[in-house]
Amino acid sequence: MKTLARICWVTAALYAVLGMSFGIYMAASGDHTLSPAHGHLNLVGWASIALYGTFYTLVPTAAESRLAGVQVILAEVGVIIMVPGIAMAIMNAGEGLAKAGATLVLLSALLFLIIVARSTGRATSGG
Ligand code: HEM
Ligand code: HEM
């Protein structure tokens, strides 16, 4: 498997383990205050990045561009900043980190849109 897809899969699986552990802790403690941070660790970390990895596995040529590397880095840094940022926002400790992380996550999704449009356009015209 190509490196970029592997990075997506390994980090997505790591976010799944962390997110589910977080969920079990919330369920066991009965304290659901940080539920949106747990939810987005799973959704933006595990689900979204696993989907990026799936796409880069299915369309390996899409993973070869520098843009694809930037797209994945933005997604990874976005999750790592956004999740503690959501927790901080919930605890009234400031919204800056959540905003910065969410912006990176959105930028990453926009780049992904461009990459998908370009690479699947090529694949369609070729076949
Ligand atoms: C071991 C696995 C998991 C456990 C034990 C768990 C546990 C929980 C608990 C206790 C809550 C709070 C519910 C409430 O207050 O009503 C919650 C919320 C949530 N969980 Fe999980 N969860 C798990 C896995 C996942 C996964 C894999 C995803 C997504 C792919 C997910 C997405 C969400 C979302 C979106 C919420 C609501 C977030 C919000 O409040 O805005 N969870 N989970
Ligand atoms: C830039 C990225 C994102 C931002 C800024 C964002 C923002 C939010 C906000 C403000 C909430 C409400 C939280 C609350 O109830 O306190 C929310 C809930 C939620 N978001 Fe996101 N989100 C993002 C990405 C995503 C993604 C990628 C997914 C799915 C793959 C997702 C799925 C959900 C779900 C399932 C809920 C919970 C809805 C509920 O409990 O009723 N979000 N999000």
Side-chain angles (χ1 to χ4, degrees), residues 36 39-40 43-44 47-48 82 86 90 98 101-103 105-106:
H40 289 81
L43 294 163
V44 182
S48 302
M82 184 174 165
I86 295 172
I90 293 169
T103 304
V105 166
L106 176 61

Side-chain angles (χ1 to χ4, degrees), residues 16 19-28 31-43 46-47:
M20 290 177 194
S21 305
F22 193 165
I24 291 172
Y25 172 76
M26 281 197 306
D31 181 357
H32 299 181
T33 316
L34 298 180
S35 162
H38 150 82
H40 289 81
L41 176 55
N42 277 307
L43 294 163
W46 160 225

